[in-house]
């Protein structure tokens, strides 16, 4: 049952990535511009910066590239973690599971960039594959750190109670 559930989550996330990648350039830019504008508006309110509308729009436009790349990294970090969790259903060493998850993530990123070449106004970029791969690596590093912390806590608990 766990294999099916984790496999389904993985497939659903891959579909989410595909749907985002299938947006034409204008729609994709509009989405990231909306997010950027919401961030600068929030910043303006919280820090009482009293920026005008033109300043907010200009700041949002200057942030758009960074926001798009952070979104890439985040969605591929989630993909790598979901694949790693799915591989946990199989008898693999944790390092092999992490390596396979990262390779899978980079391969999916490459096919996704290839797919974007066929979408109006979009292009496939090797740079984006690298950014996606870094996102996957960061996601896996976070999971590996979490696994290490859990193991250390279990070991500490065992030593406290004299359990071997």
């Amino acid at each position: 049952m766990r294999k099916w559930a984790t496999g389904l989550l993985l497939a659903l996330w891959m579909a989410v990535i595909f749907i985002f990648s299938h947006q034409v350039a204008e729609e994709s830019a509009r989405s990231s511009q909306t997010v950027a504008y919401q961030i600068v508006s929030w910043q303006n309110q919280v820090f009482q910066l009293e920026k005008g509308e033109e300043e907010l729009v200009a700041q949002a436009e200057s942030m758009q590239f960074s926001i798009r790349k952070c979104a890439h990294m985040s969605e591929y970090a989630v993909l790598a973690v979901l694949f790693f969790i799915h591989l946990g259903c199989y008898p693999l060493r944790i390092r092999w599971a992490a390596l396979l998850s990262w390779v899978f993530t980079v391969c999916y990123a490459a096919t996704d960039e290839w797919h974007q070449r066929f979408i109006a106004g979009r292009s496939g970029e090797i740079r984006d594959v690298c950014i996606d791969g870094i996102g996957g690596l960061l996601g896996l590093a976070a999971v590996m750190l979490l696994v290490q912390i859990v193991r250390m806590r279990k070991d500490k608990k065992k030593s406290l109670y004299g359990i071997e």
Side-chain angles (χ1 to χ4, degrees), residues 47-83:
F47 297 109
Q48 299 174 348
L49 300 174
E50 299 180 19
K51 290 184 178 181
E53 185 67 22
E54 286 182 21
E55 287 178 288
L56 293 176
V57 169
Q59 185 180 359
E61 285 176 1
S62 71
M63 294 173 56
Q64 194 171 358
F65 179 81
S66 298
I67 287 173
R68 292 176 77 89
K69 299 315 162 190
C70 285
H72 265 266
M73 289 177 79
S74 299
E75 63 189 18
Y76 281 89
V78 171
L79 180 67
V81 168
L82 287 174
F83 195 70

Side-chain angles (χ1 to χ4, degrees), residues 129-160:
V129 175
C130 294
I131 290 169
D132 298 341
I134 291 168
L137 203 55
L138 291 173
L140 290 168
V143 167
M144 296 298 282
L145 181 62
L146 186 63
V147 166
Q148 191 64 29
I149 290 169
V150 168
R151 282 183 177 173
M152 287 171 45
R153 288 184 129 186
K154 280 184 180 180
D155 291 346
K156 186 176 179 181
K157 227 180 206 181
K158 285 181 183 179
S159 68
L160 280 173

Side-chain angles (χ1 to χ4, degrees), residues 74-163:
S74 299
E75 63 189 18
Y76 281 89
V78 171
L79 180 67
V81 168
L82 287 174
F83 195 70
F84 179 79
I85 291 168
H86 180 66
L87 289 179
C89 299
Y90 299 92
L92 285 172
R93 292 183 180 263
I94 197 165
R95 287 192 174 120
W96 274 110
L99 178 64
L100 286 173
S101 298
W102 185 73
V103 168
F104 171 81
T105 298
V106 171
C107 288
Y108 191 75
T111 61
D112 185 56
E113 289 301 314
W114 179 74
H115 157 250
Q116 286 183 36
R117 296 176 68 212
F118 302 101
I119 308 302
R122 303 286 296 264
S123 62
E125 303 288 333
I126 292 174
R127 174 190 65 203
D128 285 346
V129 175
C130 294
I131 290 169
D132 298 341
I134 291 168
L137 203 55
L138 291 173
L140 290 168
V143 167
M144 296 298 282
L145 181 62
L146 186 63
V147 166
Q148 191 64 29
I149 290 169
V150 168
R151 282 183 177 173
M152 287 171 45
R153 288 184 129 186
K154 280 184 180 180
D155 291 346
K156 186 176 179 181
K157 227 180 206 181
K158 285 181 183 179
S159 68
L160 280 173
Y161 297 110
I163 302 169

